[in-house]
Amino acid sequence: MRTAVALGVLAAMACLAAVAQAGNFLQDAEMTWGDGRGKVVDGGRGLDLTLDKTSGSGFQSKAEYLFGKIDMQIKLVPGNSAGTVTTFYLSSQGSAHDEIDFEFLGNVTGEPYTLHTNVFAKGEGKREQQFRLWFDPTKAFHTYSIVWNPQHVIFAVDGTPIRDFKNHEARGVSFPKNQPMRLYASLWNADDWATQGGRVKTDWSHAPFVASFRGFNADACVMSGGAQRCPAGTMDASGTGSSWWNQELSDMSYRRMRWVQRKFMIYNYCTDPKRVAEGLPAECKIRLRSK
Ligand SMILES: *[C@@H]1O[C@H](CO)[C@@H](O)[C@H](O)[C@H]1NC(C)=O
């Protein structure tokens, strides 16, 4: 009995600690697959995932989140990374699941990575947008962020927003907002489709491939025992704009996003002729704001 109480107190403290704190991989993440191919490094500040011919590897957050700002610094597989896919995403469980995806599709040496993004709500996905990056993502760590609040899912790269998926429930578009999600990351082989449509295969003579993660930060509401615990001040209306909870794009960040989209977007489901022929999803027909 005393042990149970003590454990309860410890668990409560661990939860408080998990809220709004710079992440430590030892504390906040667990390897989920890869049989030792994923390794925590640098006392928990970093984590390396590896991929060889036998297997890739992956990890997940221990906590489940219901809204938050999640940042991760990633250095992608250098050199010939054709056929490799590095992922960083939030996902809930079950068939009608929600999911917010960053996926990095490798390429042969000297050719650019593709950054693939997608949003699933109630099991419905097919909302892909793809980008080139404006830097070499294998030379240094860059920060990839997801801001997820009740009105927006904002994807950002080094603080520059590249995509804003808005809550258009009023127009019948599902939005991820009721299912807690964990953070997942993985490095795996998908040479049947990932690089140049599957034409370029993985060159295993370069294995093992390594993708490095660090700077995991979850300023997020954590689910524990069915309750949502948010960092202090998260929903403070007087602090509008100071918190991710109220975050939307300012005029300036909106203009930066549009600039990135004009210069670096290489695929948009809303303008895909095949999708246009099928009838576009409702959110594609909502006019972007004109500013
Ligand atoms: C790889 O490079 C080719 C040639 O530049 C490009 O067409 C392709 O989109 C790049 N990315 C992937 C993932 O295939």
Side-chain angles (χ1 to χ4, degrees):
M1 190 60 198
R2 269 174 69 184
T3 318
V5 170
L7 281 176
V9 170
L10 275 180
M13 284 168 59
C15 277
L16 285 175
V19 167
Q21 215 193 48
N24 176 299
F25 287 104
L26 285 171
Q27 216 172 281
D28 303 325
E30 55 200 345
M31 298 298 172
T32 41
W33 61 287
D35 206 11
R37 287 177 181 79
K39 283 191 188 67
V40 172
V41 297
D42 203 8
R45 281 189 293 273
L47 193 157
D48 290 346
L49 291 180
T50 64
L51 161 71
D52 58 35
K53 206 164 182 179
T54 310
S55 176
S57 50
F59 66 92
Q60 67 180 35
S61 62
K62 288 185 186 163
E64 284 189 299
Y65 309 108
L66 188 59
F67 303 121
K69 178 174 191 288
I70 314 277
D71 303 309
M72 187 73 80
Q73 295 174 24
I74 309 175
K75 191 159 78 164
L76 295 170
V77 174
N80 186 348
S81 59
T84 71
V85 175
T86 304
T87 69
F88 163 57
Y89 63 103
L90 292 169
S91 182
S92 67
Q93 304 283 317
S95 55
H97 78 297
D98 295 341
E99 188 175 316
I100 301 169
D101 291 326
F102 273 107
E103 291 187 3
F104 303 88
L105 316 183
N107 217 330
V108 292
T109 307
E111 295 300 329
Y113 264 80
T114 294
L115 166 53
H116 176 97
T117 65
N118 202 357
V119 177
F120 286 71
K122 297 188 185 153
E124 230 180 279
K126 300 216 287 182
R127 296 186 172 112
E128 299 90 354
Q129 289 187 348
Q130 295 185 337
F131 303 82
R132 291 270 177 263
L133 293 162
W134 49 93
F135 49 82
D136 180 345
T138 72
K139 287 277 185 283
F141 283 91
H142 290 270
T143 304
Y144 303 92
S145 310
I146 297 169
V147 173
W148 172 36
N149 67 35
Q151 295 305 323
H152 297 264
V153 171
I154 299 170
F155 296 79
V157 175
D158 288 334
T160 296
I162 62 166
R163 178 172 187 179
D164 179 12
F165 183 81
K166 286 190 201 151
N167 184 334
H168 285 304
E169 285 180 305
R171 317 253 193 139
V173 181
S174 307
F175 185 83
K177 65 159 211 222
N178 296 315
Q179 308 188 68
M181 300 203 263
R182 275 204 167 79
L183 170 74
Y184 297 86
S186 61
L187 172 60
W188 54 292
N189 179 251
D191 67 1
D192 50 334
W193 59 267
T195 303
Q196 302 178 31
R199 287 189 302 280
V200 183
K201 302 298 173 196
T202 303
D203 179 353
W204 293 111
S205 70
H206 293 86
F209 301 100
V210 183
S212 302
F213 296 76
R214 70 176 195 201
F216 169 29
N217 192 61
D219 188 359
C221 302
V222 171
M223 291 302 289
S224 92
Q228 183 194 33
R229 294 155 150 274
C230 295
T234 296
M235 294 179 222
D236 181 359
S238 64
T240 302
S242 65
S243 155
W244 53 265
W245 183 268
N246 301 307
Q247 194 170 329
E248 53 182 16
L249 298 183
S250 66
D251 289 352
M252 198 181 103
S253 26
Y254 178 78
R255 282 197 299 271
R256 284 173 72 195
M257 180 181 77
R258 293 294 295 150
W259 181 81
V260 167
Q261 292 179 344
R262 273 195 301 274
K263 296 208 62 136
F264 298 102
M265 191 190 274
I266 55 171
Y267 176 83
N268 181 1
Y269 71 114
C270 284
T271 56
D272 180 340
K274 270 195 243 136
R275 301 294 295 276
V276 173
E278 286 167 13
L280 284 174
E283 74 272 16
C284 295
K285 296 179 196 138
I286 299 164
R287 242 182 80 80
L288 291 170
R289 68 177 179 187
S290 46
K291 0 180 196 191

